[in-house]
Amino acid sequence: RCRANARRLRAALAAIGRPAPGDADGHIVPVLIGDADRTMAVGAALRARGFAVGAIRPPTVPPGSSRLRVSVSAAHDAA
């Protein structure tokens, strides 16, 4: 179920022009944003709406490759 959820999320991201790198069924789904400030703002907005996402920026990742880190689990449903 976890792998199916990861594939579903990756397919939805690809459909809106945000393909996620990595294994197709990997449970850690990176959403590349690029700009560190924008990544932090998007992460904060999602957390304010109840989504548990991490916002990763330099020095953890190279400059220009800031991203959201979404962890998919078997507890998630399609909604």
Side-chain angles (χ1 to χ4, degrees):
R1 182 171 167 149
C2 182
R3 289 180 174 151
N5 286 341
R7 287 190 300 271
R8 185 176 15 262
L9 175 57
R10 287 173 185 278
L13 288 168
I16 63 168
R18 292 272 184 196
D23 293 333
D25 60 359
H27 75 286
I28 303 298
V29 180
V31 180
L32 300 176
I33 304 292
D35 179 74
D37 291 336
R38 183 162 182 257
T39 299
M40 298 308 289
V42 171
L46 287 169
R47 284 189 300 280
R49 290 179 176 89
F51 293 94
V53 298
I56 312 300
R57 62 184 171 177
T60 305
V61 295
S65 68
S66 294
R67 63 200 67 193
L68 300 176
R69 183 178 190 264
V70 181
S71 297
V72 178
S73 82
H76 293 121
D77 59 28

